Amino acid sequence: MKEQKIADGIVYIGVNDRTIDLFESQYVVPNGVSYNSYCILDEKIAIMDTVDYRMSGEWLINLDAVLQGKVPDYLIISHLEPDHAGTIAEFVAQYPQVTLVGNAKTFAMLPNFFDLKDQPKLTVAEGDTLSLGAHTLQFFMAPMVHWPEVMVEYEQKEKILFSADGFGKFGALDTEEPWEEEARRYYYNIVGKYGAPVQTLLKKAAKLDIAKICPLHGKILTENLGYYLEKYNLWSTYQPEEHGILIAHASIHGNTAKAAELLADLLLREGETVAVVDLARDDMAEAVANAFQYDRMVLAAASYDGGLFPPMEEFLLHLKAKAFQNRTVALIENGSWAPCAKKCMTNLLNEMKKITVLEQAVTIRSTVKPETESQLQALAEAIRKA
């Protein structure tokens, strides 16, 4: 590990995981993911979280290199999810005298993962502080961002917020890519359901003088923090980032996809920002993030077995689970003898909050015909006025 100094006495000891194919066994991570962990070296030594068990060997090497024979006093447990807490047992076996620091919910849940009933524990609550010497940690509870036991820590001397899963992103730390794309995909698919708890945490953070943000995934944020805070405020209030249109299609034989592409061309000619996703083939997590990114959406789907083609149904169920709201939606359905996709999509959208479904819609009978193109032109106009 190339030592990464965060601040005076604070060192990064996390690891990159490029061997993982699916994060949480469902999200593709082509550039891997980082498991971030930190060490505060002071009169008392605090380790800020561990890492996923799959990378425990590398993490323990990093830890040993930083400690140089010293013995840690505390292990701060911000979040018990296995990608962060998976190496606790190995750590305790190596440093049996260490005190585990968590909140009441942390220690209520800890036995679900580890038998550490005899380990020294320090239970902290909202606003409590822990002096390490020159450095002092202050604890703030962040329940349901995105588990009930989550807490964050503010180091008062260096003004660092250790933000748990907040402000995290997919991608190993040595990946060169814009923060927004993978942070957005991470936020909406991992944390997105819990907008209200995120807002509560942001209000707590607003009262702190923050110089750096150290998340448990992704890069350490050191500059222009207002930009990242504003993104999180926008995302957690379910407001669109851009005036644009996502066209999401689920096509069996390509005819519904053709209609979606024709509509996209019409809208692009009028100067609209348009993104098109194929729900049968493209990354579902990216499609979900795109839906939240834009203020309008078009759903184009085939009817299937008297219902809705499954990729579209899956997409809408994902949106519902992530509290999709505050958007305008237009519909295109296809059916050779009994089109029913529009009804099915409408029923699912009606289960979400503050969704406006345009009355203007398009029904395709198998293939795109001249009259279909006229309907698509009318639909494009209705979307532009929405």
Side-chain angles (χ1 to χ4, degrees), residues 64 73 171 184 345 347:
D64 289 343
D73 298 279
R184 181 187 299 111
M345 290 187 287
N347 288 341

mmCIF file of all heavy atoms in Angstrom, residues 64 73 171 184 345 347:
data_model
loop_
_atom_site.group_PDB
_atom_site.id
_atom_site.type_symbol
_atom_site.label_atom_id
_atom_site.label_comp_id
_atom_site.label_asym_id
_atom_site.label_seq_id
_atom_site.Cartn_x
_atom_site.Cartn_y
_atom_site.Cartn_z
ATOM 1 N N ASP A 64 -0.863 -3.219 9.743
ATOM 2 C CA ASP A 64 0.423 -3.478 10.390
ATOM 3 C C ASP A 64 1.479 -2.462 9.956
ATOM 4 O O ASP A 64 2.301 -2.006 10.760
ATOM 5 C CB ASP A 64 0.910 -4.895 10.057
ATOM 6 C CG ASP A 64 0.089 -5.974 10.757
ATOM 7 O OD1 ASP A 64 -0.624 -5.633 11.718
ATOM 8 O OD2 ASP A 64 0.158 -7.133 10.333
ATOM 9 N N ASP A 73 -6.171 1.116 20.355
ATOM 10 C CA ASP A 73 -7.014 1.162 21.552
ATOM 11 C C ASP A 73 -8.491 0.984 21.234
ATOM 12 O O ASP A 73 -9.223 0.387 22.028
ATOM 13 C CB ASP A 73 -6.820 2.513 22.258
ATOM 14 C CG ASP A 73 -5.403 2.715 22.718
ATOM 15 O OD1 ASP A 73 -5.041 2.187 23.785
ATOM 16 O OD2 ASP A 73 -4.631 3.382 21.990
ATOM 17 N N GLY A 171 -16.481 1.930 -7.662
ATOM 18 C CA GLY A 171 -15.217 2.173 -8.338
ATOM 19 C C GLY A 171 -14.040 2.175 -7.380
ATOM 20 O O GLY A 171 -14.097 2.769 -6.302
ATOM 21 N N ARG A 184 -23.947 8.703 -8.153
ATOM 22 C CA ARG A 184 -25.397 8.730 -8.364
ATOM 23 C C ARG A 184 -25.957 7.311 -8.404
ATOM 24 O O ARG A 184 -26.970 7.007 -7.762
ATOM 25 C CB ARG A 184 -25.733 9.458 -9.668
ATOM 26 C CG ARG A 184 -27.234 9.541 -9.954
ATOM 27 C CD ARG A 184 -27.522 10.102 -11.329
ATOM 28 N NE ARG A 184 -27.013 11.455 -11.489
ATOM 29 C CZ ARG A 184 -25.985 11.779 -12.284
ATOM 30 N NH1 ARG A 184 -25.345 10.833 -12.995
ATOM 31 N NH2 ARG A 184 -25.594 13.031 -12.383
ATOM 32 N N MET A 345 -48.521 -0.662 -16.641
ATOM 33 C CA MET A 345 -47.560 0.372 -16.235
ATOM 34 C C MET A 345 -48.237 1.453 -15.409
ATOM 35 O O MET A 345 -47.689 1.921 -14.400
ATOM 36 C CB MET A 345 -46.880 0.972 -17.468
ATOM 37 C CG MET A 345 -45.920 0.023 -18.171
ATOM 38 S SD MET A 345 -44.949 0.788 -19.513
ATOM 39 C CE MET A 345 -46.212 0.987 -20.793
ATOM 40 N N ASN A 347 -50.872 1.156 -13.511
ATOM 41 C CA ASN A 347 -51.178 0.630 -12.176
ATOM 42 C C ASN A 347 -49.951 0.682 -11.264
ATOM 43 O O ASN A 347 -50.044 1.052 -10.086
ATOM 44 C CB ASN A 347 -51.691 -0.806 -12.287
ATOM 45 C CG ASN A 347 -53.092 -0.887 -12.869
ATOM 46 O OD1 ASN A 347 -53.828 0.107 -12.875
ATOM 47 N ND2 ASN A 347 -53.472 -2.048 -13.354
#
